[in-house]
């Protein structure tokens, strides 16, 4: 019996609306429309089985069940070892009822800035009244963060429910793959199917999808992007994507689909050549920064920036953005151009302002603690580290900075530490719980080799193996240093390390006060301590 026959025997795919036209019509109704049906059924109108299901849902520890889903995903091959294929994910999504094909998509790739660009794009699309789904990776604390619906991480209950719905289908695909001698679905392939099923279940209008790695053979690429967006491309994952910028760009250009519209940040000439070549082959229209759009002005503010964008459809009034770093202004311009292209019109000024003010990018120069100030940043390659060093100097006037560094295998430690060592007065080397983490003692030797013994001694390079202890030491030292001037802590080098820091900060209450900090336009870094 084929998987298709088995699914039909079981009543069909859980995400195929054509199986029950009446349910499909109900999915399109809003709360007011549903009121004519009496809203939710009262208990007395339910059967014993329905009552039992309602009680089970109320009694379920959905947070624990969501963690169980994550554990099951982790049993699959990790996302650091992706399979260069599309057929497996496409097969799963087709069996689920073509969950990759019922919504429009903005597809975003690049090396640095793609997560921030994706989040800004989602916020702008939502501000224009459209229902959104957002897929980004990786997460900081919980896997729910990767899949957002209408601007909020997917709920534990919905995550679990959708996973249990798709799990049998994934099992059928695993069996097919193994019978053919191929590896079963990987972590990221299964996650992509989960996200696309959740998008379909939530009846979104627009999916904003960040590529996991590369582009051409990334599992997210089974869906056709109406708009392909390219954040800055630099050297990273050379073992998978190629050793030169041109090779990496060629792989990433695989997300460009026939007749699509393409928007790119400013790129190196060899990268732009590859994007132009791909657009010619696919008859796609290309818009580039700074030729077609860009940053008209960018003013530093306490709590963020005031950014004026020269879009594809005109220049917009300056808007407040709660993101630090001058590179975020360029991410804003890229996102604005992407949404203009998606909607085919000039953006509404009020919606633009609201969308930009609401945009957040966790883990990107992100203040997770105060007294002392503790910042985390996902910089994990030389390009990201260079931009981080510039942004931190611009936005925070620390007299002393305690750097906590942890890096994963196959990363360019020398390229990461050199720009960061220039802004650090103290360096603490640690490691995350990831099996890919470079052991702290080994990383410390690489750091000393990169910056030299004299600089290592001056900055008191020290190894603290447990990340919790490293964070604690850094915070205590920053408090002491703060008695004679302003001092802060920067935790960076890998997403796994900053994720641990974010979780600990939340549990231990590192942040005093609450809410979003107000934007004070025109203040320099002296006001950013």
């Amino acid at each position: 019996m084929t998987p298709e026959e088995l699914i039909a025997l079981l009543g069909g795919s859980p995400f195929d609306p054509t199986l029950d036209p009446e349910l499909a019509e109900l999915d399109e109704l809003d709360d007011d429309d549903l009121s004519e049906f009496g809203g939710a059924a009262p208990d007395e109108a339910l059967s014993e089985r329905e009552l039992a299901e309602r009680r089970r849902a109320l009694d379920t520890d959905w947070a624990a069940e969501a963690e169980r889903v994550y554990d099951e995903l982790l049993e699959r091959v990790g996302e650091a070892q992706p399979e260069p294929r599309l057929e497996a994910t496409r097969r799963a999504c087709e069996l689920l009822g073509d969950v990759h094909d019922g919504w429009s998509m903005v597809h975003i790739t690049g090396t640095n800035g793609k997560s921030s660009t994706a989040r800004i794009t989602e916020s702008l699309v939502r501000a224009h009244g459209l229902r959104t789904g957002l897929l980004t990776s990786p997460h900081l604390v919980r896997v729910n963060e990767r899949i957002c619906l209408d601007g909020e991480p997917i709920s534990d209950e919905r995550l679990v429910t959708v996973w249990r719905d798709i799990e049998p289908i994934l099992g059928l695909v695993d069996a097919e793959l193994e019978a053919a001698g191929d590896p079963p679905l990987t972590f990221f392939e299964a996650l992509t199917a989960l996200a696309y099923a959740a998008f379909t279940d939530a009846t979104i209008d627009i999916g904003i999808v960040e590529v996991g790695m590369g582009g051409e053979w990334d599992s997210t690429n089974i869906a056709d992007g109406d708009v392909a967006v390219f954040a800055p491309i630099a050297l990273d994952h050379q073992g998978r994507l190629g050793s030169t910028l041109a090779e990496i760009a060629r792989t990433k250009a695989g997300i460009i689909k026939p007749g699509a519209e393409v928007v790119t940040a400013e790129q190196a000439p060899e990268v732009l050549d590859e994007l132009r070549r791909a657009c010619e082959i696919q008859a796609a229209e290309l818009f580039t920064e700074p030729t077609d759009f860009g940053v008209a002005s960018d003013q530093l503010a306490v709590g963020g920036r005031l950014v004026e964008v020269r879009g594809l459809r005109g220049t917009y009034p300056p808007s407040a953005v709660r993101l630090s770093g001058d590179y975020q202004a360029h991410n804003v311009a890229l996102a604005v151009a992407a949404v203009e292209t998606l909607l085919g019109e000039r953006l509404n000024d009020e919606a633009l302002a609201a969308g930009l003010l609401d945009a957040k990018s966790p883990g990107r120069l992100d203040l997770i603690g105060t007294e002392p100030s503790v910042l985390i940043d996902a910089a994990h390659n030389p390009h990201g580290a260079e931009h981080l060093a510039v942004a931190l100097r611009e936005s925070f006037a620390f007299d002393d900075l305690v750097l906590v560094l942890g890096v994963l295998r196959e990363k360019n430690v020398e390229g990461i530490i050199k720009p960061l060592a220039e802004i650090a007065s103290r360096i603490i080397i640690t490691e995350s719980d990831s099996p890919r983490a470079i052991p702290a003692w080994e990383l410390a030797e690489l750091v000393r080799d990169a910056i030299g013994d004299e600089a290592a001694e001056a900055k008191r390079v020290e190894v603290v193996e447990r990340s919790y202890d490293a964070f604690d030491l850094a915070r205590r030292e920053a408090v002491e240093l703060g008695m004679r001037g302003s001092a802060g802590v920067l935790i960076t080098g890998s997403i796994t390390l900053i994720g641990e820091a974010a979780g600990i900060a939340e549990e231990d209450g590192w942040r005093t006060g609450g809410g979003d900090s107000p934007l004070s336009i025109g203040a320099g870094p002296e006001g950013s301590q």
Side-chain angles (χ1 to χ4, degrees):
M1 182 178 293
T2 67
E4 288 87 351
E5 291 170 337
L6 182 57
I7 292 169
L9 183 64
L10 295 174
S13 164
F15 300 99
D16 186 354
T18 63
L19 295 173
D20 191 336
E22 291 184 6
L23 286 179
E25 290 176 11
L26 284 175
D27 280 342
E28 299 299 322
L29 300 178
D30 59 24
D31 292 340
D32 292 335
D33 296 323
L34 286 171
S35 64
E36 67 182 86
F37 295 98
D43 286 353
E44 58 268 21
L46 298 176
S47 67
E48 288 188 11
R49 182 185 63 80
E50 290 169 328
L51 280 170
E53 282 296 306
R54 177 173 287 187
R55 284 193 293 268
R56 184 190 66 79
L58 291 172
D59 293 340
T60 298
D61 184 343
W62 292 110
E65 289 298 310
E67 288 302 315
R68 189 169 290 112
V69 168
Y70 183 48
D71 289 340
E72 291 172 17
L73 280 166
L74 288 176
E75 291 174 2
R76 297 177 176 273
V77 172
E79 54 197 322
Q81 292 84 38
E83 287 290 330
R85 64 188 184 187
L86 295 178
E87 296 78 11
T89 311
R90 182 178 288 115
R91 175 67 169 156
C93 288
E94 286 174 347
L95 289 175
L96 286 168
D98 292 323
V99 293
H100 60 303
D101 201 29
W103 32 272
S104 299
M105 183 169 81
V106 178
H107 207 182
I108 301 175
T109 190
T111 303
N112 293 300
K114 60 184 187 292
S115 288
S116 293
T117 301
R119 292 182 180 279
I120 299 166
T121 300
E122 185 280 329
S123 190
L124 288 172
V125 171
R126 181 163 37 89
H128 281 79
L130 296 168
R131 298 206 64 196
T132 60
L134 174 68
L135 173 61
T136 57
S137 61
H139 61 274
L140 288 182
V141 181
R142 302 193 71 215
V143 72
N144 308 54
E145 301 165 22
R146 297 180 183 235
I147 303 170
C148 292
L149 302 171
D150 291 324
E152 295 295 330
I154 188 170
S155 68
D156 290 330
E157 182 175 358
R158 190 165 212 155
L159 176 74
V160 173
T161 301
V162 175
W163 175 255
R164 297 305 175 209
D165 280 341
I166 74 171
E167 195 176 19
I169 308 299
L170 300 188
L172 291 175
V173 176
D174 286 339
E176 281 188 335
L177 291 167
E178 290 170 347
D182 296 321
L185 292 164
T186 65
F187 174 101
F188 195 73
E189 287 173 327
L191 181 75
T192 300
L194 174 63
Y196 288 0
F199 290 176
T200 299
D201 182 60
T203 61
I204 67 164
D205 300 308
I206 310 293
I208 297 91
V209 177
E210 176 192 356
V211 164
M213 184 185 293
E216 179 182 9
W217 42 257
D218 185 77
S219 61
T220 62
N221 203 29
I222 64 164
D224 292 335
D226 300 88
V227 182
V229 180
F230 293 84
I233 293 174
L235 293 175
D236 200 11
H237 300 295
Q238 290 98 312
R240 296 270 177 182
L241 305 180
S243 59
T244 67
L245 281 178
E247 289 175 323
I248 293 171
R250 197 173 305 134
T251 300
K252 292 182 182 292
I255 70 168
I256 299 173
K257 300 298 175 67
E261 294 182 284
V262 181
V263 180
T264 181
E266 188 170 4
Q267 306 283 4
E270 58 266 46
V271 170
L272 200 53
D273 287 343
E274 292 295 335
L275 298 185
R276 286 197 176 107
R277 186 175 297 112
C279 286
E280 288 174 6
I281 293 170
Q282 300 288 15
E285 188 172 9
L286 177 64
F287 303 98
T288 66
E289 180 194 18
T291 302
D292 300 305
F293 67 93
V295 177
S297 67
D298 173 31
Q299 191 173 358
L300 183 65
V302 175
R305 328 189 63 78
L306 190 67
V307 180
E308 181 183 10
V309 173
R310 173 176 55 84
L312 299 171
R313 309 245 173 191
T315 299
Y316 296 91
S319 297
V321 185
R322 298 186 194 278
L323 299 170
S324 297
D326 63 339
Y327 55 87
Q328 293 289 10
H330 293 276
N331 292 337
V332 166
L334 183 61
V336 168
V339 179
E340 285 179 316
T341 304
L342 174 73
L343 301 181
E345 60 187 22
R346 177 185 171 88
L347 304 188
N348 176 277
D349 288 350
E350 291 183 0
L352 172 76
L356 291 181
L357 191 61
D358 192 48
K360 299 178 178 63
S361 190
R364 276 69 184 177
L365 208 53
D366 190 3
L367 185 70
I368 62 167
T370 54
E371 300 180 10
S373 296
V374 181
L375 296 153
I376 57 173
D377 193 275
H380 59 279
N381 55 46
H383 184 264
E386 290 165 6
H387 280 281
L388 170 59
V390 171
L392 197 139
R393 277 198 190 101
E394 177 200 47
S395 301
F396 298 89
F398 294 128
D399 296 315
D400 289 287
L401 180 69
V402 182
L403 172 66
V404 181
L405 184 73
V407 182
L408 301 183
R409 293 273 185 205
E410 302 178 1
K411 296 299 179 181
N412 184 342
V413 174
E414 180 179 1
I416 293 170
I417 187 57
K418 279 190 171 180
L420 298 179
E422 292 180 5
I423 61 172
S425 49
R426 170 85 158 100
I427 301 176
I428 298 172
I429 305 297
T430 190
E431 60 191 80
S432 68
D433 286 337
S434 170
R436 296 172 55 220
I438 300 175
W441 290 101
E442 181 182 337
L443 179 58
E445 289 303 313
L446 294 172
V447 167
R448 290 189 181 96
D449 290 343
I451 66 175
D453 290 337
E454 185 177 344
E457 184 175 349
K459 296 177 185 298
R460 294 182 293 129
V461 172
E462 179 180 351
V463 172
V464 181
E465 292 186 39
R466 290 183 66 237
S467 61
Y468 184 95
D469 295 335
F471 304 152
D472 183 62
L473 175 61
R475 293 179 69 239
R476 284 190 283 110
E477 290 198 4
V479 170
E480 294 172 5
L481 291 168
M483 293 180 180
R484 64 170 190 248
S486 63
V489 176
L490 172 63
I491 302 169
T492 190
S494 77
I495 194 75
T496 55
L497 183 70
I498 71 168
E500 290 175 11
I504 292 168
E506 186 175 338
E507 291 174 9
D508 292 359
W510 289 2
R511 185 191 290 272
T512 61
D516 291 322
S517 58
L519 281 164
S520 177
I521 307 303
E526 292 79 8
S528 304
Q529 299 176 14

